[in-house]
Amino acid sequence: MTRWKLILEWDGAPFMGWQRQDHGPSVQGALEDAARKLTGEQVTAHASGRTDAGVHALAMAVHVDIAKPLTGHRLAEGLNALLRPHPVAVLSAEPVADDWHARFSCLGRRYLYRIANRRAPLTLDRGRAWRVAKPLNLEAMREAAAHLVGHHDFTTFRSVHCQSDSPVKTLDRLDVEAVGEEIHVHAAARSFLHHQVRSMVGCLGLVGMGQWAPDRMREALEAKDRGALGLNAPAEGLYFAEALYESPDA
Amino acid sequence: MTRWKLILEWDGAPFMGWQRQDHGPSVQGALEDAARKLTGEQVTAHASGRTDAGVHALAMAVHVDIAKPLTGHRLAEGLNALLRPHPVAVLSAEPVADDWHARFSCLGRRYLYRIANRRAPLTLDRGRAWRVAKPLNLEAMREAAAHLVGHHDFTTFRSVHCQSDSPVKTLDRLDVEAVGEEIHVHAAARSFLHHQVRSMVGCLGLVGMGQWAPDRMREALEAKDRGALGLNAPAEGLYFAEALYESPDA
């Protein structure tokens, strides 16, 4: 039995999210079905993080245990052939130690959120970004973001469905960057609460539009109350960007 | 009657191309239908260039004549509202002189071609780039591209359906640029033959893959024979990027 670390990329649009569901397509279901066809084994896939319906992945780390002898190349190519026509691709496959775990060994997660700041509806980037028509104030957004970085009780930015034991998390980074007509928000932490990134970005959007003063973000955080949340940004702008692990040489 | 210059962006996937067709959806048809609904007038749209089925536009210049008094803002917003659910958006609308013509006043066209150089199938960029699995040799592609720049008979790189009077064109620029895992080809000329960019990029791909030596590009050009073409790159990687006009102040 070999444990494989897979890096997956997907378009979240057609999926109910990562987790296997009875009532609709999931990335986990698509991957496990492809692995079963390739190996004849019942394979269970574990991801670094769960993602909601519509959320994309640029590089999600996943592990699977497979008895059939395979090279990483053949595993990736075989899964990719069987994953069609789903918009899910295995970017790489490498063997890891038996106790390596995509979720529990993960030391940090990074998300990207894309805001398209323009009046015109999206065409090529439809379903790939949150379009905000009103010109956004980048400096105000940065000032507001600074209130969230650090060790805090993020209850305000947590979904009622969140299963985390504690609402206290350490947000390492919440950077607001202008990229052409887009604004990219980069969020990094050891782990996030359910809906945390979308909730933080939604409120950053309100600040950028001038509906919230930057200090309102601190007040919302200190309220520790979901009712203080201004806006949950749509799933389609969110990308799971990277899962960090201890380097094998460390 | 006011002549309006519109800048359009679209996802080419669902369209038969720019030109109105009886047998399927076209960008021209979608735009003219929206303009008719907005104004009650029979509006004819003229584009800087025709594009084939599946070809995208980042900024296509188009003109329309409209009698109804409108501001540029209202025209753009009204068209965008009526263009839904088509993936076509009006990025801007400005009044121009009555003798300004999107096609005949155009002094130069610029295209972008995106090649995704990776083994894994595309997910988020499906239909947005030509995936080439074999690692491409950028330097060889640049050497081959240099043979095409300048004033030449481009018969080899011309579709049999091309309606241009002459196969002789001046290619101002054919730059090959690495952008992450992608290779972008930038082509600029006063005008292009039908399929010229896709034909040049297809052969650049063969060079990059090592199937053609860079000099083979010169031989193909000098053959002035469509039979010497190696490969026509797929439409889905091609973007009409810019139409250049004399500045109003010039």
Side-chain angles (χ1 to χ4, degrees):
Chain A
M1 187 74 87
T2 302
R3 179 156 292 189
W4 292 94
K5 175 187 180 183
L6 310 176
I7 300 294
L8 259 63
E9 178 191 89
W10 70 73
D11 171 5
F15 296 109
M16 308 295 299
W18 159 259
Q19 199 168 17
R20 191 182 264 280
Q21 310 268 348
D22 290 333
H23 57 291
S26 65
V27 181
Q28 184 184 20
L31 178 65
E32 289 176 354
D33 291 350
R36 186 173 35 75
K37 282 182 204 153
L38 183 69
T39 63
E41 304 166 41
Q42 284 295 343
V43 175
T44 302
H46 300 264
S48 167
R50 295 180 191 171
T51 57
D52 282 333
V55 175
H56 313 294
L58 300 174
M60 174 65 82
V62 171
H63 83 255
V64 288
D65 293 330
I66 291 174
K68 181 174 181 170
L70 285 165
T71 62
H73 180 78
R74 279 214 48 214
L75 177 57
E77 297 280 305
L79 289 174
N80 281 334
L82 290 162
L83 277 165
R84 278 176 208 157
H86 298 292
V88 179
V90 178
L91 302 182
S92 67
E94 55 168 325
V96 287
D98 290 351
D99 64 348
W100 189 92
H101 195 288
R103 181 170 166 208
F104 300 121
S105 304
C106 184
L107 300 179
R109 278 109 177 152
R110 206 165 55 73
Y111 282 91
L112 163 68
Y113 196 99
R114 288 176 59 190
I115 302 172
N117 195 197
R118 64 183 233 176
R119 282 213 66 80
L122 300 180
T123 67
L124 289 154
D125 283 323
R126 191 179 280 190
R128 301 279 187 271
W130 175 28
R131 179 180 68 101
V132 176
K134 200 167 176 186
L136 293 170
N137 180 334
L138 204 70
E139 283 314 310
M141 292 172 74
R142 285 181 174 147
E143 191 184 332
H147 291 305
L148 298 178
V149 175
H151 187 72
H152 300 292
D153 179 329
F154 283 97
T155 295
T156 302
F157 303 93
R158 177 189 199 183
S159 157
V160 293
H161 302 293
C162 183
Q163 292 168 17
S164 179
D165 290 337
S166 160
V168 176
K169 296 283 176 190
T170 301
L171 181 63
D172 296 320
R173 186 180 165 206
L174 190 64
D175 293 344
V176 182
E177 178 196 18
V179 180
E181 70 179 10
E182 293 194 11
I183 290 177
H184 289 184
V185 179
H186 302 273
R190 182 170 184 107
S191 63
F192 289 91
L193 299 168
H194 188 214
H195 278 189
Q196 187 182 345
V197 179
R198 289 169 56 191
S199 295
M200 294 190 302
V201 170
C203 294
L204 286 177
L206 293 179
V207 170
M209 289 184 257
Q211 294 182 37
W212 275 24
D215 275 355
R216 177 85 178 266
M217 190 69 94
R218 184 177 44 73
E219 293 163 23
L221 177 69
E222 288 173 357
K224 297 171 195 167
D225 174 5
R226 186 70 178 166
L229 181 76
L231 186 65
N232 202 33
E236 62 196 26
L238 185 60
Y239 296 74
F240 185 95
E242 195 181 10
L244 299 169
Y245 299 91
E246 208 170 309
S247 126
D249 319 322
Chain B
M1 189 73 86
T2 302
R3 179 157 290 189
W4 292 94
K5 175 188 180 183
L6 309 177
I7 300 296
L8 260 63
E9 177 192 89
W10 68 75
D11 170 6
F15 297 108
M16 308 296 297
W18 160 259
Q19 199 167 16
R20 191 182 265 280
Q21 309 269 349
D22 289 334
H23 58 291
S26 66
V27 181
Q28 185 184 19
L31 178 65
E32 289 175 355
D33 291 351
R36 186 173 35 75
K37 282 182 203 154
L38 183 69
T39 63
E41 304 165 39
Q42 283 295 344
V43 175
T44 302
H46 300 264
S48 166
R50 293 180 192 173
T51 57
D52 281 334
V55 175
H56 314 293
L58 299 174
M60 175 65 82
V62 171
H63 82 256
V64 289
D65 292 330
I66 291 176
K68 180 175 180 169
L70 284 165
T71 63
H73 179 79
R74 277 214 49 215
L75 177 57
E77 297 279 305
L79 289 174
N80 282 333
L82 291 162
L83 277 164
R84 278 174 207 157
H86 299 291
V88 179
V90 178
L91 302 182
S92 67
E94 54 169 325
V96 286
D98 289 352
D99 63 349
W100 188 92
H101 195 289
R103 182 169 165 210
F104 300 121
S105 305
C106 185
L107 299 179
R109 279 107 177 156
R110 204 164 56 73
Y111 282 91
L112 163 68
Y113 196 98
R114 289 176 57 191
I115 302 172
N117 193 199
R118 64 183 231 174
R119 282 212 67 80
L122 300 179
T123 67
L124 288 155
D125 284 322
R126 191 179 281 190
R128 302 277 187 273
W130 175 27
R131 180 179 67 102
V132 176
K134 199 167 177 185
L136 294 169
N137 182 334
L138 205 70
E139 282 315 310
M141 292 172 74
R142 285 179 175 148
E143 191 183 333
H147 291 305
L148 299 178
V149 175
H151 187 73
H152 301 291
D153 180 329
F154 284 97
T155 295
T156 303
F157 304 93
R158 177 189 199 182
S159 157
V160 292
H161 302 293
C162 184
Q163 293 170 14
S164 179
D165 291 336
S166 160
V168 177
K169 295 284 176 189
T170 301
L171 180 63
D172 297 319
R173 185 180 165 205
L174 191 64
D175 293 345
V176 182
E177 177 196 18
V179 180
E181 71 179 9
E182 294 193 11
I183 290 177
H184 290 183
V185 180
H186 302 273
R190 183 173 183 104
S191 62
F192 289 91
L193 300 168
H194 190 214
H195 279 190
Q196 186 181 345
V197 179
R198 289 170 54 192
S199 296
M200 296 190 300
V201 170
C203 295
L204 285 178
L206 293 178
V207 170
M209 289 185 258
Q211 293 181 37
W212 275 24
D215 274 354
R216 176 87 178 266
M217 190 69 94
R218 185 178 42 74
E219 292 162 25
L221 177 68
E222 288 172 356
K224 297 172 195 166
D225 174 5
R226 185 70 178 166
L229 181 75
L231 186 64
N232 202 32
E236 61 195 25
L238 185 60
Y239 296 74
F240 185 96
E242 195 181 9
L244 299 170
Y245 299 91
E246 208 171 309
S247 122
D249 319 323

